[in-house]
Every structure is written in structure tokens, then in C-alpha cells.
């Protein structure tokens, strides 16, 4: 069942007097996190709620860092993405557009759902809307991203809640693994995909599906697509993959 911040509409008056303040949902602590990335004396947590009814819906990664003045949430997203092979974020212009994790897919624009982002200092669940991925990380900050529709007052409907720790088979991870499955990038004519797949779905940066590509022995062409950035999305076995591609004709 979806989780609405409007659990009881009678609290509407209180809500509108504090339009960006939300309330704690459940207990979860830094000691519950099993997947830690990075090094440094400070820590933060990344919480991503896909709100897709595939249980569990909400996952948490831990992040260690050295600088509380220049490290922002986008740094954390990129670093965690680069380490967790099952995770992929699409970030464009400083905004989280889409996210994939295992069988979870949260593509911006799907049924008018987009990501909302929140801070919860020190304790999980006291969510306050923040400035997005430009938010500077502070020690013991919970940074939440919830894939959600928006109400008539342009406020997100669903909060991050009921999290589970993301699985980390390798315990502490402090390295980055570069990943690129499409070559070349930018694409000018024909491209090559490392995976043996029959179809690649192509999305615009706002999450709209704009076409399909059918590789032949790993090779494909882009003659039906306009110049500009797009998102390639495909599945090998049951694992989803995505990559931001620049088409230059």
C-alpha cells in the first residue's frame, strides 16, 4: 500500500502552517546499515524509496566522507552508484531523474511520479524537504529520495519509509568501479553494446520512452534518433542496466 503524508486529512491545517515539515515513520539507525562506501570521519545515509509495491521498496546505503563543507548529495549518489553493481542512477542537471536497483525501476515521468528529496538530521524519519542533490552533507545526515506523485499544493505525497539495508556482499567497500557498456559515447553512427540483448529502450531525460533499438550481434545504429542526450535502458537476464548516451550526428 502506498504511503501518504496525508494519513489523516484533518491534520491539514497543521500541515499548511508547516508546509515542508513531515513526521517520523519508523525506527532505523546507522548501526542497521550494512553497505558502507567511502572513507572519512563523517557519515551519511542514502535512503531511496521506489514506491513500486515490490517489497521491500526502500533501501539504505551508508556513506563515509572527509569534508562537511564541499561534499554534496550528488557526490554521494555518484560514489554509491559506482560501487554497487546492482544500482544505477540517472542524474541530469543536478536532478535525480531515474533510479534502478535489481528489479526496481523508478523512471521520472512514469504516471506523473518524480523524485522528491529530503533531509533528516541525526535520526531517521524526521523528513524535511531539501534543496536536492546540491545539498551539502553534514555528519549523521539521512538523505532521502522518494519516487512520488505530488499533491495539488505541489508537495510530495509519499515519504521514504520502512527501509531495509542494501545488501553488501563485500562488507566495507571504499573503491570505485567504472562501468560503461555502450561504445562509443558520444554516438555518431553505429554503436556497440557489450551485453547480448535483443532490445534497448530509449528514453528522453524527462523519462518519456522515445524509441527502441534492436542490436544485431551487439551492433546497432541510431538513424531514427535526434541529436542530444538520451537514456539507454535494457535488461540482461533479470538485471536492469542503464546508461546516459549523447547522440551526435
Amino acid at each position: 500500500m502506498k504511503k501518504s503524508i496525508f494519513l489523516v486529512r484533518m491534520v491539514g491545517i497543521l500541515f499548511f502552517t508547516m508546509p515542508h515539515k513531515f513526521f517520523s515513520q519508523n525506527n532505523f539507525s546507522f548501526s542497521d546499515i550494512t553497505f558502507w562506501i567511502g572513507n572519512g570521519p563523517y557519515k551519511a545515509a542514502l535512503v531511496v524509496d521506489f514506491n513500486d509495491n515490490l517489497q521491500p521498496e526502500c533501501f539504505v546505503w551508508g556513506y563515509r566522507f572527509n569534508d562537511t563543507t564541499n561534499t554534496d548529495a550528488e557526490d554521494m549518489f555518484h560514489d554509491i552508484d559506482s560501487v554497487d553493481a546492482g544500482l544505477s542512477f540517472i542524474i541530469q542537471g543536478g536532478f535525480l531523474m531515474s533510479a534502478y536497483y535489481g528489479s526496481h525501476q523508478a523512471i521520472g515521468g512514469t504516471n506523473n511520479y518524480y523524485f522528491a528529496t529530503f533531509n533528516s538530521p541525526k535520526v531517521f524519519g524526521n523528513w524535511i524537504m531539501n534543496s536536492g542533490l546540491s545539498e551539502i552533507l553534514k555528519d549523521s545526515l539521512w538523505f532521502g529520495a522518494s519516487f512520488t506523485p505530488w499533491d495539488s499544493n505541489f508537495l510530495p505525497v509519499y515519504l521514504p519509509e520502512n527501509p531495509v539495508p542494501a545488501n553488501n556482499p563485500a562488507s566495507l567497500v571504499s573503491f570505485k568501479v567504472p562501468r560503461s557498456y555502450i561504445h562509443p559515447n558520444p554516438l555518431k553512427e553505429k554503436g556497440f553494446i557489450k551485453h547480448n540483448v535483443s532490445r534497448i529502450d530509449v528514453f528522453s531525460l524527462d523519462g518519456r520512452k522515445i524509441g527502441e533499438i534492436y542490436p544485431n550481434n551487439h551492433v546497432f545504429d541510431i538513424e531514427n534518433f535526434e541529436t542530444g542526450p538520451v537514456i539507454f535502458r535494457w535488461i540482461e537476464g533479470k538485471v536492469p542496466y542503464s546508461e546516459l548516451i549523447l547522440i551526435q550526428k
Side-chain angles (χ1 to χ4, degrees):
M1 178 179 293
K2 295 294 185 182
K3 296 90 64 178
S4 173
I5 59 174
F6 302 111
L7 297 176
V8 181
R9 288 289 175 175
M10 292 180 65
V11 303
I13 295 176
L14 176 61
F15 181 81
F16 286 118
T17 61
M18 297 184 298
H20 298 298
K21 177 69 177 178
F22 301 99
F23 304 97
S24 179
Q25 298 293 307
N26 60 357
N27 294 321
F28 196 89
S29 68
F30 280 98
S31 63
D32 295 317
I33 300 172
T34 58
F35 200 152
W36 284 94
I37 294 153
N39 291 297
Y42 307 114
K43 64 181 182 292
L46 173 60
V47 184
V48 179
D49 196 330
F50 289 86
N51 283 317
D52 57 4
N53 292 319
L54 297 177
Q55 300 299 327
E57 298 178 291
C58 185
F59 302 88
V60 184
W61 292 260
Y63 184 63
R64 293 190 174 95
F65 58 103
N66 290 295
D67 187 349
T68 58
T69 59
N70 293 302
T71 305
D72 62 22
E74 186 168 351
D75 294 327
M76 176 173 62
F77 274 80
H78 283 303
D79 288 348
I80 293 175
D81 183 350
S82 69
V83 171
D84 190 336
L87 177 68
S88 181
F89 294 123
I90 303 298
I91 295 172
Q92 182 66 27
F95 294 95
L96 177 61
M97 307 298 296
S98 305
Y100 308 94
Y101 185 54
S103 59
H104 297 276
Q105 304 180 40
I107 302 171
T110 303
N111 297 325
N112 291 318
Y113 277 49
Y114 296 89
F115 274 102
T117 59
F118 310 86
N119 283 355
S120 182
K122 306 294 182 180
V123 178
F124 173 87
N126 294 325
W127 298 117
I128 303 171
M129 289 192 71
N130 60 24
S131 58
L133 302 194
S134 63
E135 191 77 13
I136 299 298
L137 298 183
K138 300 301 182 183
D139 191 29
S140 299
L141 177 69
W142 297 81
F143 187 97
S146 180
F147 194 59
T148 176
W150 301 71
D151 74 0
S152 60
N153 298 292
F154 302 103
L155 292 170
V157 176
Y158 302 137
L159 294 168
E161 68 169 11
N162 300 323
V164 298
N167 182 41
N168 176 19
S171 186
L172 178 64
V173 180
S174 59
F175 56 89
K176 297 184 180 181
V177 180
R179 291 182 290 146
S180 180
Y181 304 108
I182 306 291
H183 296 282
N185 188 8
L187 280 172
K188 295 184 178 180
E189 294 180 358
K190 293 187 180 296
F192 176 86
I193 180 170
K194 290 183 179 180
H195 290 156
N196 184 23
V197 296
S198 59
R199 189 186 79 197
I200 303 170
D201 294 323
V202 183
F203 294 86
S204 63
L205 295 185
D206 62 3
R208 294 177 296 108
K209 185 174 179 180
I210 58 176
E212 297 174 347
I213 291 173
Y214 297 91
N216 182 9
N217 195 26
H218 299 274
V219 178
F220 60 89
D221 63 55
I222 55 169
E223 62 183 10
N224 295 325
F225 298 95
E226 300 293 331
T227 296
V230 294
I231 299 167
F232 280 16
R233 172 77 176 150
W234 67 95
I235 295 177
E236 185 181 35
K238 294 184 178 181
V239 180
Y241 295 86
S242 63
E243 195 159 336
L244 182 63
I245 302 296
L246 179 60
I247 295 177
Q248 288 183 340
K249 293 185 178 181

